[in-house]
Each structure stands twice: as C-alpha cells, then as structure tokens.
Amino acid sequence: DTGVSQDPRHKITKRGQNVTFRCDPISEHNRLYWYRQTLGQGPEFLTYFQNEAQLEKSRLLSDRFSAERPKGSFSTLEIQRTEQGDSAMYLCASSASGTGVGNTIYFGEGSWLTVV
Amino acid sequence: ILNVEQSPQSLHVQEGDSTNFTCSFPSSNFYALHWYRWETAKSPEALFVMTLNGDEKKKGRISATLNTKEGYSYLYIKGSQPEDSATYLCALPLANDMRFGAGTRLTVKP
C-alpha cells in the first residue's frame, strides 16, 4: 500500500505529557498537511508543508504544537503538555501540488489522541 | 470566513432507499468543490471534484450536482447499500488548504 500512513493510530496519554505523531505521505507528493477533527466537526486545518518548508500555520496551532518535515519526506506533529481539549483525531494528508483545480489531497487514516 | 454547511447532520435509511444531502457554500469567489467519503476506521476517500456551474458527476450509484450561482451541491445515492454507510464531507479549496463542512453521517440499515 503506497497511501498516506500515520503512526500511532491510537494514543492515550495523561494530561501534561508530550505526544508525537508521525506521517509518511505518498512518496512523490511535495505537499503535506495536518488537520484535526473533533466530534461533530469536519477536519480543521492546522498546518502545511511544501517539501521541508512549513508555509502556513493555523491559529489553532498553539505554541504547544510543533510540526516538522526535516527532509521533505515524513512529518512529525508534537504536542507538548497535553490538555484534555487536545483529544481529537489528527489527520495527515498529502498532495502533488496543492489544492488547485483537479488536485486531490489524499488522507491517512488518522491518529486518535485521548488525553485523560 | 468561508463557511461550508452540510445538511442533514445525520441520516438513517433502509437498504434500497435513495437519498440525497446538501453542501452549501458562499457563491462568491467559487473555485472548486470536493466531495469525500469517510468510512469508519479508514481514510477519507475522494469522490468528486466539481468546478463548473451545472456540473454533474457520477460514480456508480453515487452522483453529485453543482450550482455555483446559488452556492450548493447535492450528493445523491441511488439504491443505498449498507456499504454506503459513511460520513460524506464536502470541502472548498483555499489558497493552501481545504475548508471542510461538518459532514453528513449516513447509516444504511439492512
């Protein structure tokens, strides 16, 4: 399977702990996106990378959140000092060339985070 | 702020029923609209990309129409099957990301 893969699929952590999620995009895609989805809502944009450059961050991405894509391939999303409000599904997606007409973004299966 | 609204929020139908649901969006500055199907424990799957007013796209029993002047798209499922049970999301592309609606959760009962 050469789709977008995310790890771990599920994470339960205690409030105050740090967590890190990994995303491996489709290999030839230069754009990588992180979204967050909570119950009853659609996916909300967090940030995106073009190659290794992080070009946009949502205001949802507080200073406890950091994302990297060091070599323009896989990406990590770290949440420091987790809070219960961080409980959500974190979705990674990739695309060949952005969200223009005819360009589809392809999603991974998501990483569920539960903060207890 | 670009608001993408979907209705209904959830829908329960019997196997064999046909159904439809709506995605509404601001008609100004329309660029494109994407429909995704998201089955539980799987990744969202792209269904359609629609760009032109009056567009109609079809994939098997699923079809979609687009009205950019009044700002809505309909998704139709003919003869629903249990495997159609999923959340259906619509999204509008922005400069660098997609703005999603909250989705319509469809449950098809055998």
Side-chain angles (χ1 to χ4, degrees), chain B residues 1-41:
Chain B
I1 296 178
L2 175 61
N3 286 322
V4 181
E5 305 285 342
Q6 290 190 249
S7 63
Q9 187 174 22
S10 66
L11 198 53
H12 291 75
V13 301
Q14 289 294 133
E15 182 176 356
D17 288 351
S18 293
T19 187
N20 66 86
F21 24 92
T22 307
C23 174
S24 302
F25 51 87
S27 55
S28 59
N29 299 316
F30 177 81
Y31 184 46
L33 183 139
H34 295 241
W35 280 101
Y36 284 83
R37 175 172 60 199
W38 193 0
E39 295 178 68
T40 303

Side-chain angles (χ1 to χ4, degrees), chain A residues 53-107:
Chain A
Q54 186 175 17
L55 296 184
E56 187 168 336
K57 293 194 287 186
S58 161
R59 60 181 170 78
L60 294 174
L61 212 66
S62 76
D63 57 6
R64 296 184 297 105
F65 287 71
S66 62
E68 294 183 342
R69 193 183 184 196
K71 296 182 181 179
S73 55
F74 73 92
S75 175
T76 58
L77 177 69
E78 181 182 17
I79 309 174
Q80 295 182 323
R81 306 181 302 281
T82 52
E83 301 172 358
Q84 287 186 321
D86 297 331
S87 296
M89 172 177 277
Y90 291 86
L91 279 164
C92 178
S94 69
S95 70
S97 52
T99 54
V101 174
N103 293 334
T104 298
I105 63 173
Y106 297 86
F107 285 90

Side-chain angles (χ1 to χ4, degrees), chain B residues 30-32 49-57 65-68:
Chain B
F30 177 81
Y31 184 46
V49 181
M50 310 186 77
T51 55
L52 299 176
N53 185 45
D55 252 357
E56 181 169 347
K57 299 233 173 155
T65 61
L66 178 66
N67 184 322
T68 60

Side-chain angles (χ1 to χ4, degrees), chain A:
Chain A
D1 189 319
T2 57
V4 179
S5 62
Q6 293 188 243
D7 182 72
R9 294 291 309 281
H10 303 273
K11 178 73 176 179
I12 300 174
T13 190
K14 291 184 179 178
R15 188 162 50 100
Q17 297 293 305
N18 299 343
V19 295
T20 300
F21 300 111
R22 177 181 169 123
C23 171
D24 287 89
I26 293 171
S27 58
E28 62 268 24
H29 286 180
N30 60 11
R31 289 205 175 196
L32 185 147
Y33 310 81
W34 284 99
Y35 285 82
R36 180 176 72 185
Q37 198 235 0
T38 53
L39 283 174
Q41 302 293 321
E44 297 173 294
F45 172 75
L46 292 178
T47 189
Y48 98 96
F49 292 83
Q50 178 150 337
N51 300 311
E52 66 275 10
Q54 186 175 17
L55 296 184
E56 187 168 336
K57 293 194 287 186
S58 161
R59 60 181 170 78
L60 294 174
L61 212 66
S62 76
D63 57 6
R64 296 184 297 105
F65 287 71
S66 62
E68 294 183 342
R69 193 183 184 196
K71 296 182 181 179
S73 55
F74 73 92
S75 175
T76 58
L77 177 69
E78 181 182 17
I79 309 174
Q80 295 182 323
R81 306 181 302 281
T82 52
E83 301 172 358
Q84 287 186 321
D86 297 331
S87 296
M89 172 177 277
Y90 291 86
L91 279 164
C92 178
S94 69
S95 70
S97 52
T99 54
V101 174
N103 293 334
T104 298
I105 63 173
Y106 297 86
F107 285 90
E109 293 177 333
S111 294
W112 274 109
L113 173 65
T114 302
V115 181
V116 296

